């Protein structure tokens, strides 16, 4: 199975998956620490509206998803700050309306969208080089923001009341964090798709949290777990497709491996306490 890594197309796919793992692990650590998985789930599904808009206006669906996701992040983030109740209903609305708009935009777009399902469930084996380039650019933007504002993000994640008392603009920092989550989700669209993006964003970080204390260590361990699951899912997909003569998508296998790692981390943590 390892000889498959010498194939040029698989090397491109592997690079795309590893680049997405960087954004996934780093931002996933913030998402888990701040406990905003439900908000991030709404952003993941809202991003599909941007995919449909991209098809409609003739731009890259990835760029459409990024723009749509950023707008949804601002809407949900401001509502989270200003609404005393009913936030769950708003998240559900953003979640469902984003998906519905995506379907409507695709229906209105001229021609046929041949790779639409890849944005829903992932299609890592068929990613083009321009996708790899976009993911690399998003990684650079995310890493630059994290290096510049990590102490502020960390303060808001762990003790927002103290951060606000210390003069930190917590609302703007929180909105920036949601914007980064939206961009991280965009990097995962062709890896596991809209439906499974939230799982890959949160599961590796949740598993990493069981072994480390600091947020920085959690980030890099989550990147490693995500990268290992991505490589393992790709190799499993290739091997099963060769052995069983079927088309086995790697996205679900990547998420299943991440789930197995999370279960194993729980078992290891309990065994260590005994």
């Amino acid at each position: 199975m390892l000889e498959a890594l010498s194939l040029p197309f698989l090397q491109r796919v592997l690079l795309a998956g590893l680049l997405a793992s960087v954004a996934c692990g780093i931002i996933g650590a913030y998402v888990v620490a701040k406990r905003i998985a439900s908000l991030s789930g709404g952003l993941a599904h809202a991003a599909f509206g941007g995919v449909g808009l991209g098809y409609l206006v003739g731009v890259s669906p990835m760029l459409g998803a990024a723009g749509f996701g950023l707008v949804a992040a601002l809407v949900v983030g401001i509502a989270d700050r200003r609404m005393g109740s009913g936030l769950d209903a708003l998240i559900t609305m953003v979640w469902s309306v984003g998906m519905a708009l995506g379907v409507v935009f695709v229906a209105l777009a001229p021609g046929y969208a041949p790779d639409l399902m890849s944005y829903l469930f992932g299609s890592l084996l068929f990613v083009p080089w321009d996708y790899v380039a976009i993911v690399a650019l998003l990684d650079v933007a995310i890493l630059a923001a994290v290096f510049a504002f990590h102490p502020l993000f960390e303060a808001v994640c762990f003790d927002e009341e103290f951060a606000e008392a210390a003069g930190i603009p917590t609302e703007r920092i929180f909105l920036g964090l949601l914007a980064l989550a939206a961009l991280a989700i965009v990097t995962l669209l062709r890896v596991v798709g809209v439906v499974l993006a939230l799982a890959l964003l949160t599961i590796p970080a949740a598993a990493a949290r069981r072994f480390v204390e600091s947020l920085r260590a959690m980030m890099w361990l989550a990147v490693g777990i995500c990268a290992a699951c991505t490589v393992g899912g790709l190799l499993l997909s290739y091997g099963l497709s060769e052995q069983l003569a079927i088309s086995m998508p790697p996205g679900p296998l990547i998420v299943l491996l991440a789930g197995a790692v999370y279960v194993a981390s729980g078992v290891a943590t309990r065994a260590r306490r005994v």
Side-chain angles (χ1 to χ4, degrees), residues 43-154:
L43 298 181
H45 287 74
F48 186 68
V51 172
L53 185 61
Y55 279 114
L56 179 62
V57 301
V59 301
S60 168
M62 288 281 291
L63 295 178
F68 218 83
L70 289 173
V71 171
L74 290 176
V75 171
V76 172
I78 292 173
D80 180 59
R81 299 282 125 176
R82 309 291 167 83
M83 291 177 63
S85 61
L87 185 61
D88 287 343
L90 178 66
I91 294 171
T92 303
M93 184 189 72
V94 170
W95 184 310
S96 55
V97 168
M99 293 289 290
L101 283 175
V103 173
V104 171
F105 289 152
V106 169
L108 293 174
Y112 173 68
D115 57 349
L116 180 62
M117 295 299 290
S118 68
Y119 290 100
L120 281 172
F121 302 103
S123 183
L124 191 54
L125 293 178
F126 301 100
V127 295
W129 276 113
D130 60 350
Y131 170 84
V132 179
I134 290 174
V135 173
L137 289 174
L138 291 175
D139 272 356
V140 170
I142 289 171
L143 287 171
V146 169
F147 280 123
F149 301 108
H150 173 72
L152 301 180
F153 289 143
E154 188 173 24

Side-chain angles (χ1 to χ4, degrees), residues 11 30 57 64 72 79 85 90 109 122 131 139 151 156 162 166 178 181 219 227 266:
Q11 292 172 358
Y30 287 131
V57 301
S85 61
L90 178 66
Y131 170 84
D139 272 356
V156 169
F162 177 79
L178 284 182
M219 286 178 177

Side-chain angles (χ1 to χ4, degrees), residues 130-191:
D130 60 350
Y131 170 84
V132 179
I134 290 174
V135 173
L137 289 174
L138 291 175
D139 272 356
V140 170
I142 289 171
L143 287 171
V146 169
F147 280 123
F149 301 108
H150 173 72
L152 301 180
F153 289 143
E154 188 173 24
V156 169
C157 284
F158 287 111
D159 196 339
E160 188 167 339
E161 291 183 2
F162 177 79
E164 190 167 3
I168 294 174
T170 55
E171 180 173 313
R172 280 182 285 171
I173 295 300
F174 179 70
L175 292 177
L177 187 57
L178 284 182
L180 292 180
L183 294 181
I185 286 165
V186 171
T187 68
L188 298 174
L189 289 184
R190 295 295 291 269
V191 179

Side-chain angles (χ1 to χ4, degrees), residues 121-124 190-193 196 200 233-234 237 248-257:
F121 302 103
S123 183
L124 191 54
R190 295 295 291 269
V191 179
V192 293
L196 299 175
L200 199 60
L234 277 171
S237 171
M248 181 65 70
L253 294 177
I254 292 171
V255 172
L256 288 174
L257 283 177

